[in-house]
Amino acid sequence: MLQGARHVHMAALNAAAESSGINIEIHELRKAADLSQAKPDALVFPGGESTTMRLTGNDAASRLLPAIFDWIRTDPTRPVLGTCAGAILLCDPRDGGEPLIAAEIDRNAFGSQVDSFQSALKSSLLARDFPGVFIRAPRFTNVGDSSEVVATLGEEVVGVRFGNRLALTFHPELSNDNGFHQWLLETTKEVTA
Ligand code: GLN
């Protein structure tokens, strides 16, 4: 909850819960203690501005970012959805540890705000086309052997899955298809069963 498109993600999660029939409880995380209190089963890393997220999340008043990285690393099966800036943080945590998704990513690689665009993309994870919303989007520059490409825009890789962690360079929460949020809920259901 420190920055970015958080409320739209909550709406998308609620819509996905409704369509998949999976009951969810959403916890808003602002500081490290919120995470230990909430004990979530899965996590959404929203899009926004990764620089701001690094600053606010590493600030002594929050320390949410290191707590989240630690939470993810503690159990590699924990489902995580990172979108846009969230994908940047997963691929490039800059905390001295391993990337949380084995892929390299380049910030703002599609250009500035005026180069933001919408385009249908292909997703093997959902087995259908998906309405992609790209806002000052990053670009995957390298995908590790242990990662799977799950979404493409032409030749461009726009979605990478590393186990139960998913990094998307677009904003699925800003489209009317909640398939990726459903994937998160279904994966979480399997992991916690
Ligand atoms: N350009 C932003 C960054 O570098 C990401 C944009 C977004 O999340 N929509 O963090």
Side-chain angles (χ1 to χ4, degrees), residues 64-134:
L64 180 60
L65 204 54
I68 280 178
F69 290 152
D70 188 48
W71 180 86
I72 296 174
R73 289 196 179 104
T74 299
D75 180 350
T77 69
R78 286 177 167 163
V80 180
L81 170 63
T83 60
C84 210
I88 296 173
L89 296 175
L90 289 171
C91 297
D92 184 18
R94 294 193 198 162
D95 65 345
E98 286 284 298
L100 300 150
I101 293 218
E104 286 166 28
I105 201 160
D106 188 14
R107 283 185 70 208
N108 301 333
F110 284 95
S112 66
Q113 188 67 29
V114 289
D115 302 304
S116 297
F117 63 98
Q118 297 189 32
S119 184
L121 53 90
K122 300 216 172 297
S123 171
S124 55
L125 192 68
L126 305 182
R128 63 172 181 267
D129 284 6
F130 189 89
V133 177
F134 294 83

Side-chain angles (χ1 to χ4, degrees), residues 6-73:
R6 302 141 289 170
H7 299 95
V8 230
H9 266 296
M10 288 194 238
L13 284 169
N14 283 324
E18 179 114 1
S19 25
S20 61
I22 297 173
N23 286 329
I24 62 165
E25 200 180 313
I26 297 178
H27 297 268
E28 299 184 6
L29 308 179
R30 291 181 176 79
K31 50 187 193 307
D34 297 339
L35 182 62
S36 36
Q37 218 162 40
K39 298 193 177 23
D41 295 319
L43 193 93
V44 175
F45 243 127
E49 195 51 59
S50 56
T51 313
T52 312
M53 290 174 179
R54 288 188 205 278
L55 283 171
T56 50
N58 283 315
D59 190 89
S62 167
R63 302 293 294 157
L64 180 60
L65 204 54
I68 280 178
F69 290 152
D70 188 48
W71 180 86
I72 296 174
R73 289 196 179 104

